[in-house]
Amino acid sequence: MRYTITFNLRGKENKLSIDYEKIPDPQKSGFAALKLPFDVNKCVGYPMLHAFFENISLDGYERYCGWIQVVERRDYADLNAEEPTAVSFELDIPEEMRKHKIPYFAYGYPAELFDAPCNNLGNSEKLDWRAYTYLVDLPSRMNNNQLSFLTGFSWGYTEDKNGNVQLSDFAVLSEDSWTAHQKYALFAD
């Protein structure tokens, strides 16, 4: 399914396109190129999300922006439990980015985002996995070195030990949501 979100960057209205769907095969998701410790065919049916600009109304450096993604895990010890046994939030970035205290999932001129999580159940009987994905204006000379919210959305899935996978609803997020999650993008010194 394709979603479109309108937002403002540097005084100009822009549109962000988001394709959100089930992974149809490992080739379409790119998993075939990764060295995963499990059969990539297990990822079929999990979510795949691509956020991009079809026609951005900015030029050159004006296009500079980035993505910060926070993942919420709700782990359940029992398939029928209504309350999770554990809830955690974590900044979703590669370890090398974390090591250098770079909180961005992606950034560029303009930034594009692709994510396709799968097989994260671990020792749980059931997992609710939800991403809170924010497009931000990166600190620079253009904005007095301020990190600021542009737009955001949430998405995700539920999986269980029986192999059932259900995509979560896509939802546009407000700046209040960013304010609540921004603390996960800050690194303690």
Side-chain angles (χ1 to χ4, degrees), residues 70-88:
V70 175
V71 170
E72 175 184 16
R73 283 184 62 102
R74 292 181 170 269
D75 291 277
Y76 296 82
D78 183 273
L79 283 176
N80 300 316
E82 292 185 25
E83 293 297 320
T85 52
V87 177
S88 63

Side-chain angles (χ1 to χ4, degrees), residues 56-77:
I56 191 164
S57 66
L58 299 161
D59 296 305
Y61 290 115
E62 290 180 317
R63 296 169 153 221
Y64 193 45
C65 56
W67 293 98
I68 292 178
Q69 183 162 276
V70 175
V71 170
E72 175 184 16
R73 283 184 62 102
R74 292 181 170 269
D75 291 277
Y76 296 82

Side-chain angles (χ1 to χ4, degrees), residues 86-98:
V87 177
S88 63
F89 290 85
E90 184 175 27
L91 184 62
D92 189 9
I93 55 174
E95 192 53 43
E96 194 62 22
M97 299 289 260
R98 187 177 309 283

Side-chain angles (χ1 to χ4, degrees), residues 10-159:
R10 313 220 197 289
K12 295 181 182 174
E13 185 176 283
N14 285 278
K15 292 187 180 185
L16 178 67
S17 296
I18 301 105
D19 290 336
Y20 178 48
E21 62 185 303
K22 288 184 176 185
I23 297 171
D25 62 66
Q27 274 61 40
K28 177 119 174 151
S29 66
F31 278 118
L34 301 177
K35 295 177 182 172
L36 296 173
F38 54 85
D39 178 6
V40 295
N41 289 302
K42 290 182 178 181
C43 296
V44 171
Y46 282 82
M48 178 170 69
L49 183 133
H50 181 208
F52 59 97
F53 299 91
E54 286 187 76
N55 297 301
I56 191 164
S57 66
L58 299 161
D59 296 305
Y61 290 115
E62 290 180 317
R63 296 169 153 221
Y64 193 45
C65 56
W67 293 98
I68 292 178
Q69 183 162 276
V70 175
V71 170
E72 175 184 16
R73 283 184 62 102
R74 292 181 170 269
D75 291 277
Y76 296 82
D78 183 273
L79 283 176
N80 300 316
E82 292 185 25
E83 293 297 320
T85 52
V87 177
S88 63
F89 290 85
E90 184 175 27
L91 184 62
D92 189 9
I93 55 174
E95 192 53 43
E96 194 62 22
M97 299 289 260
R98 187 177 309 283
K99 186 169 99 176
H100 292 291
K101 298 184 178 183
I102 300 170
Y104 306 107
F105 189 93
Y107 52 94
Y109 300 93
E112 191 167 318
L113 179 137
F114 177 82
D115 197 9
C118 75
N119 202 33
N120 290 310
L121 189 61
N123 294 326
S124 297
E125 295 288 306
K126 182 173 81 171
L127 169 68
D128 287 332
W129 186 101
R130 178 157 287 273
Y132 300 91
T133 307
Y134 300 99
L135 182 65
V136 296
D137 189 3
L138 298 174
S140 72
R141 291 178 180 186
M142 291 179 280
N143 63 11
N144 295 320
N145 291 309
Q146 299 297 310
L147 174 67
S148 57
F149 171 87
L150 297 172
T151 191
F153 51 86
S154 66
W155 59 285
Y157 67 97
T158 299
E159 68 177 307

